[in-house]
Amino acid sequence: MGLPLGRWLAGVVALVWATAAQAAAPFEDSMAQRTLACTACHGDQGRAGPDGYYPRLAGKPAGYLYHQLLNFRDGRRHYGPMTRMVDVLSDAYLMDIARHFAALQVPYPPPQPLATPPAPAALARGRTLALQGDAGQRLPACVQCHGERLTGALPDVPGLLGLPPDYLTAQLGGWRTGQRRAHAPDCMASIVQRLSDRDAYAVVSWLASQPVPADSRPAPEKPALPAEFAGLKCGSAPPPEPHR
Amino acid sequence: MAASERSDPTRPRRWLWRWGVGLAALTLLAIGLLWHLNYNDGVDITAAEPAPADAATLARGTYLARVGNCLACHTARGGVPAAGGRPLATPFGTVYTSNLTPDADTGIGRWSAGAFWRALHHGRSVDGRLLYPVFPYTHTTLLTRADSDALFAYFRGLPATRAQVLPHELRWPYSTQAALAVWRALYFRPGGFQADPAHSEAVNRGAYLVQAVAHCSACHAPRDRLGGADWRDLSGGMVPGLGWYAPSLTNAAEAGVGPWPEAQIVRLLRTGAAQQGVASGPMAEVVFHGTQYLTEADAAAMAAYLKGLPQQPAARPDAPPNAAPSRLATAGAKLYEQHCAACHGAQGEGVPGAYPPLAGNRAVTLAQTENLLQTVLHGGFGPATAGRPRPYGMPPFTLTLSDTEIAAVLSHIRSAWGHHASEVSPLQVLQMRQASSGNLR
């Protein structure tokens, strides 16, 4: 059985209302108004664009979003339309924009089935890489930095769930070729250098097929790295200050 | 010619010889003239250094470097400020900007104040090479020696950064010093700023800032096919290599500010937006990196000078008034309601302080449609400045609207609300898409 009729109707009404409100939204002096240029591609409230490439912004850690805005402006990430958008914006305003989207808690849609369903073996390998890593290949688990539930970690590490597979693949490829960079030392670049094509496909397939947990908020802080990865340093996500 | 002359066998040889000597003499004379115009500046770059700069000089140098926008070009995207390496596209190839930090080998660490002055005033490098006029020595030649020394003190005070700048990628013959010598003979004379005694001190200060420091005519002068111009001319031109039009500052139908209140000109320069219009494209960069740091007095001086520029008569509208809207423009009216009216208003009235009005907006009706096309295709934010820290953004439409739809909506806004500007064709949209897809530095 599907949804009860009442809830279904309420959903339709809400949707129609939201569409109407969007079309004739009166002007307001707000960050939502200011960032209409962003949501034109990244979807209403930064929920992600409809075409599977423009990633979600809503609810991502503010530090992560801020660094990406700086990276586009300062040439560490390359996407002409994004660079053009942030070219004459100050650090302070980029931080305002990052905080605005970080504060939006909107539900994730369920993951879309992949166009070509991955083989169970690939999914199993992807799961292992994401949750346990591969010490032999010196690959830390994704959960090591991106949060136990892979919803990210405050303030700088993004979540990995609810992202389109095309986007995830493009980012891994970008890191491998140097098209995407982070502040030095670039830990993600060094990890991707050790990731084989087969493993990249496996981990993307597994990540893209996981539902986002109901509580999609990032972990309050990045967990400490185990001894074998102590040398892994991230310029964009420095280790948390020691507790006093 | 007489038959007897033709029969004399020695005559043609003598004739050839005479012409040869004449030609050689002329060539020598031309070379001498070129040498004189380009190299005979007599600047002693080994002259004793001026005393170390005091705090006030250093502050002035910092200010001039900022409002003159030196760092915007002399910094690569995301690079160390003033360490150069930004590629600048020109119709003749790509030029990479130089490292102005005091690194001994790759920057200006071994330069004297005299050498720096010779670069700004005569357009020659420390080794005597002629510099490419992408560096606007056509304008900095008007700077005073004191301001040159202040700028030198500022750059010498920056942290030394080792940054080998890439060699320029210019096509032959533009890559040669000889071609540069000829170009300079045609378009460059070392000068000095002459204050006009008929004008107030403020207007003269404004003229100095516009002509020498901010080098406005580097973009706003119409350039010819060799990239040359009369550098006093501010009547509008295409910005080399960027696909944006720098509108005329001497025509009220373009960007002339004769009729504007002075306070609005100051606001545009210092915040990026005035009641009558906003800075976009390359001008947004100029405001963001440069003019937002102008003191109120200097911005007012520039405004006073710009207001007083002789104005050209307004050109006739390029479409007959009261013509019925075309099919393209009618289709555009619907698209306007759907995609534009929420911010720019059903009647193109805009939202004060947030979205510029389109009705009566000169940027909408300019004969050159490049800026409109860039804005609709790629969107963008106004510059975030101290006076306007959180500007509103325009979405890009390059992915959502087709060439025909963009042509329709632009044709609509160019003919609605009493506008009589020409239609925009889908071909123009396509051409701009292709031209502007890769021009980010």
Side-chain angles (χ1 to χ4, degrees):
Chain A
M1 276 299 286
L3 289 168
L5 185 65
R7 270 180 73 188
W8 185 82
L9 267 179
V12 170
V13 169
L15 188 72
V16 169
W17 183 82
T19 316
Q22 201 190 350
F27 175 80
E28 53 172 38
D29 180 354
S30 67
M31 281 306 290
Q33 183 82 46
R34 285 179 168 80
T35 53
L36 287 175
C38 315
T39 51
C41 290
H42 289 276
D44 183 34
Q45 295 186 288
R47 291 161 187 261
D51 57 5
Y53 189 76
Y54 295 91
R56 182 184 171 99
L57 306 175
K60 289 195 179 176
Y64 171 73
L65 292 176
Y66 174 61
H67 281 135
Q68 302 323 302
L69 291 169
L70 292 182
N71 290 346
F72 280 115
R73 192 192 63 187
D74 298 340
R76 286 180 295 267
R77 279 186 80 171
H78 299 270
Y79 185 60
M82 255 320 285
T83 304
R84 220 180 245 270
M85 205 47 76
V86 294
D87 206 19
V88 289
L89 300 185
S90 64
D91 293 0
Y93 191 33
L94 293 177
M95 189 48 136
D96 287 344
I97 293 173
R99 287 202 179 116
H100 164 69
F101 284 109
L104 295 175
Q105 295 295 334
V106 289
Y108 279 81
Q112 295 295 309
L114 299 180
T116 25
L123 281 176
R125 173 66 179 160
R127 183 175 192 277
T128 306
L129 285 170
L131 303 181
Q132 279 125 47
D134 184 337
Q137 307 284 324
R138 289 172 47 237
L139 292 169
C142 303
V143 291
Q144 194 58 67
C145 291
H146 291 273
E148 213 178 319
R149 296 174 304 129
L150 291 168
T151 53
L154 292 179
D156 300 314
V157 187
L160 300 180
L161 302 184
L163 292 166
D166 286 353
Y167 176 80
L168 286 171
T169 307
Q171 301 321 304
L172 292 181
W175 251 299
R176 169 137 356 136
T177 58
Q179 272 289 304
R180 179 169 178 176
R181 284 179 292 148
H183 283 278
D186 192 344
C187 53
M188 197 60 209
S190 69
I191 293 166
V192 173
Q193 295 307 328
R194 300 196 284 268
L195 194 67
S196 68
D197 286 355
R198 189 185 285 263
D199 280 351
Y201 171 72
V203 78
V204 164
S205 303
W206 187 79
L207 287 170
S209 48
Q210 300 311 299
V212 181
D215 178 5
S216 61
R217 285 175 303 176
E221 69 177 21
K222 192 177 145 184
L225 281 168
E228 68 259 42
F229 295 112
L232 200 63
K233 297 271 187 300
C234 307
S236 296
E241 295 282 309
H243 292 288
R244 259 160 265 164
Chain B
M1 252 186 268
S4 62
E5 279 180 21
R6 229 181 295 149
S7 63
D8 180 351
T10 64
R11 208 155 265 271
R13 245 185 274 160
R14 210 178 288 165
W15 181 84
L16 252 179
W17 192 80
R18 270 191 215 152
W19 272 97
V21 169
L23 205 66
L26 272 178
T27 309
L28 276 176
L29 204 67
I31 291 175
L33 183 69
L34 280 179
W35 180 86
H36 169 72
L37 286 174
N38 284 291
Y39 295 98
N40 195 21
D41 49 44
V43 177
D44 179 8
I45 64 168
T46 60
E49 290 295 296
D54 54 38
T57 307
L58 201 58
R60 196 169 82 250
T62 308
Y63 175 73
L64 289 168
R66 270 216 143 144
V67 301
N69 228 336
C70 307
L71 265 50
C73 285
H74 284 277
T75 307
R77 186 175 286 286
V80 176
R86 174 171 169 176
L88 296 176
T90 78
F92 316 104
T94 302
V95 172
Y96 292 90
T97 56
S98 56
N99 180 354
L100 296 184
T101 73
D103 180 60
D105 299 324
T106 64
I108 60 167
R110 289 186 222 270
W111 288 45
S112 65
F116 190 78
W117 162 252
R118 191 172 71 174
L120 291 180
H121 194 72
H122 295 280
R124 287 174 66 200
S125 187
V126 69
D127 57 4
R129 238 174 350 107
L130 305 178
L131 290 165
Y132 288 100
V134 172
F135 162 44
Y137 56 82
T138 41
H139 299 74
T140 58
T141 189
L142 300 174
L143 287 172
T144 63
R145 174 69 198 242
D147 280 351
S148 168
D149 288 348
L151 280 165
F152 184 62
Y154 162 71
F155 287 116
R156 287 298 292 259
L158 293 175
T161 301
R162 193 174 172 79
Q164 195 66 55
V165 168
L166 294 167
H168 305 316
E169 293 154 11
L170 289 163
R171 292 195 310 279
W172 193 88
Y174 310 112
S175 53
T176 64
Q177 288 280 301
L180 204 44
V182 173
W183 190 95
R184 288 163 49 106
L186 292 171
Y187 301 110
F188 172 62
R189 291 290 170 278
F193 178 74
Q194 298 295 328
D196 184 345
H199 287 136
S200 70
E201 204 178 309
V203 169
N204 276 312
R205 170 73 179 163
Y208 179 73
L209 287 164
V210 166
Q211 294 169 13
V213 181
H215 57 282
C216 303
S217 76
C219 290
H220 286 278
R223 289 181 187 241
D224 61 22
R225 293 173 73 179
L226 291 176
D230 173 355
W231 306 112
R232 290 161 303 184
D233 190 346
L234 289 164
S235 66
M238 287 304 295
V239 183
L242 291 186
W244 283 82
Y245 174 70
S248 170
L249 300 178
T250 57
N251 184 339
E254 296 198 4
V257 287
W260 284 29
E262 195 177 283
Q264 290 298 319
I265 309 169
V266 171
R267 254 182 72 186
L268 186 84
L269 291 171
R270 295 189 77 206
T271 73
Q275 254 161 29
Q276 292 87 341
V278 295
S280 55
M283 189 63 199
E285 260 188 85
V286 168
V287 172
F288 182 66
H289 296 286
T291 60
Q292 69 160 312
Y293 300 105
L294 282 166
T295 62
E296 186 82 23
D298 274 353
M302 285 176 79
Y305 171 70
L306 291 170
K307 268 179 76 72
L309 287 174
Q311 300 288 307
Q312 295 163 332
R316 282 183 304 123
D318 48 5
N322 305 323
S326 67
R327 271 178 57 198
L328 194 63
T330 311
K334 282 215 183 69
L335 289 163
Y336 180 86
E337 261 173 53
Q338 242 177 301
H339 296 282
C340 318
C343 294
H344 290 289
Q347 296 305 313
E349 69 274 23
V351 175
Y355 302 118
L358 301 183
N361 187 331
R362 304 182 294 187
V364 172
T365 52
L366 264 181
Q368 292 78 1
T369 54
E370 285 84 0
N371 302 0
L372 263 187
L373 288 166
Q374 293 261 23
T375 306
V376 173
L377 282 170
H378 305 297
F381 282 83
T385 55
R388 195 166 178 264
R390 303 197 304 161
Y392 293 76
M394 159 104 180
F397 287 93
T398 181
L399 297 171
T400 40
L401 294 184
S402 69
D403 293 347
T404 310
E405 287 171 323
I406 290 178
V409 81
L410 290 181
S411 297
H412 166 65
I413 64 172
R414 283 165 69 80
S415 59
W417 315 311
H419 295 166
H420 303 295
S422 62
E423 273 200 348
V424 174
S425 73
L427 179 64
Q428 284 174 291
V429 183
L430 176 68
Q431 283 168 339
M432 179 53 82
R433 263 191 217 275
Q434 291 171 343
S436 62
S437 60
N439 67 0
L440 267 177
R441 298 149 307 267

